[in-house]
Amino acid sequence: MDSAEQSNGEKRVQRVMIEPLVSRGLVRPSGVTRPVFDEMLKRLSQKLAYMSEQGLAALEEEIADRVLAGGKNRFPIANEIERWAAQIEAPTDTASPLIRNVFANEIGRVAIAEGWAPELLE
């Protein structure tokens, strides 16, 4: 993913997932300061930029259903959102510099050679 695709993806995350959740009334988690929350949303936008518009719309529905069904109105933590996102639309190996680096490293080569690379990717 080049920088233009990344930038467009981040804007898509904002438009299709974050803004609709805010419109539904989701607010920052209690105990999380505004700067930390803003950074979390920025990081989510960066990490989920690989997702299609349809995948993001499904993720927005998933988040809203899980949160609002529980009678809550707080954004879930980023790790939960990322986990749900991967279940809806798994990232490709080209989507994450981390994954490329892991598989370029010794542990990645060992995982491929020994046949447990899918588990490492998971």
Side-chain angles (χ1 to χ4, degrees):
M1 180 177 291
D2 65 25
S3 61
E5 290 172 323
Q6 179 70 29
S7 177
N8 289 336
E10 290 174 29
K11 290 174 188 170
R12 186 172 48 249
V13 173
Q14 281 289 327
R15 179 177 46 81
V16 177
M17 187 191 82
I18 294 173
E19 290 172 6
L21 288 171
V22 170
S23 293
R24 287 181 188 244
L26 269 66
V27 297
R28 68 181 164 86
S30 58
V32 175
T33 64
R34 172 58 62 187
V36 170
F37 180 64
D38 290 344
E39 183 61 30
M40 180 189 91
L41 293 181
K42 178 182 174 187
R43 194 172 149 267
L44 270 173
S45 293
Q46 292 169 340
K47 291 192 83 171
L48 301 180
Y50 72 90
M51 293 185 75
S52 68
E53 190 162 329
Q54 296 82 8
L56 288 166
L59 179 59
E60 188 267 338
E61 286 290 328
E62 179 75 14
I63 293 167
D65 287 348
R66 287 178 182 252
V67 172
L68 299 174
K72 299 179 182 176
N73 69 338
R74 307 257 179 218
F75 265 87
I77 62 171
N79 288 346
E80 287 181 336
I81 294 173
E82 290 170 20
R83 185 168 39 88
W84 299 333
Q87 292 171 348
I88 291 170
E89 187 176 330
T92 63
D93 60 351
T94 60
S96 170
L98 172 64
I99 295 298
R100 288 195 304 269
N101 286 336
V102 166
F103 281 97
N105 201 312
E106 180 180 352
I107 189 142
R109 291 189 298 270
V110 170
I112 292 169
E114 294 178 1
W116 51 274
E119 288 84 354
L120 180 60
L121 185 58
E122 184 72 26

